[in-house]
Amino acid sequence: VYRSGNYKIKIYNSIGQLMHDTEYNISPAMLGIINFSYDISDLSEGNYFFVFEGSERFFTKKFIKIQ
């Protein structure tokens, strides 16, 4: 993360239902490489999409949860 501001991390299941939504406020002191973690033990087995949203950044990654 190279700019301070509000960022959202969302997780969607394969049919587009929002499973997780968290907002982070990144201060100037926190800029650089930031590690986020999320406990996915409550998600059932299947395909999911991880979405990172910021004012100038947006990306989506697919992941598969296997029990």
Side-chain angles (χ1 to χ4, degrees), residues 1 6 19 21 30 35-36 40-41 50 61-62 64-65:
V1 176
N6 292 327
M19 307 301 291
D21 185 8
M30 299 170 63
N35 294 314
F36 295 99
I40 61 170
S41 63
F50 168 88
K61 297 290 182 186
K62 179 180 178 180
I64 300 171
K65 169 138 187 231

Side-chain angles (χ1 to χ4, degrees), residues 5-60:
N6 292 327
Y7 293 86
K8 290 185 178 182
I9 293 178
K10 298 179 181 182
I11 295 177
Y12 293 92
N13 65 13
S14 60
I15 61 172
Q17 293 174 312
L18 181 63
M19 307 301 291
H20 174 75
D21 185 8
T22 301
E23 187 168 325
Y24 296 91
N25 185 6
I26 306 299
S27 69
M30 299 170 63
L31 296 178
I33 297 174
I34 299 173
N35 294 314
F36 295 99
S37 63
Y38 175 65
D39 179 10
I40 61 170
S41 63
D42 62 329
L43 298 177
S44 59
E45 198 170 271
N47 296 314
Y48 294 90
F49 296 91
F50 168 88
V51 178
F52 177 85
E53 297 178 18
S55 59
E56 296 181 10
R57 301 259 187 230
F58 178 91
F59 68 84
T60 303

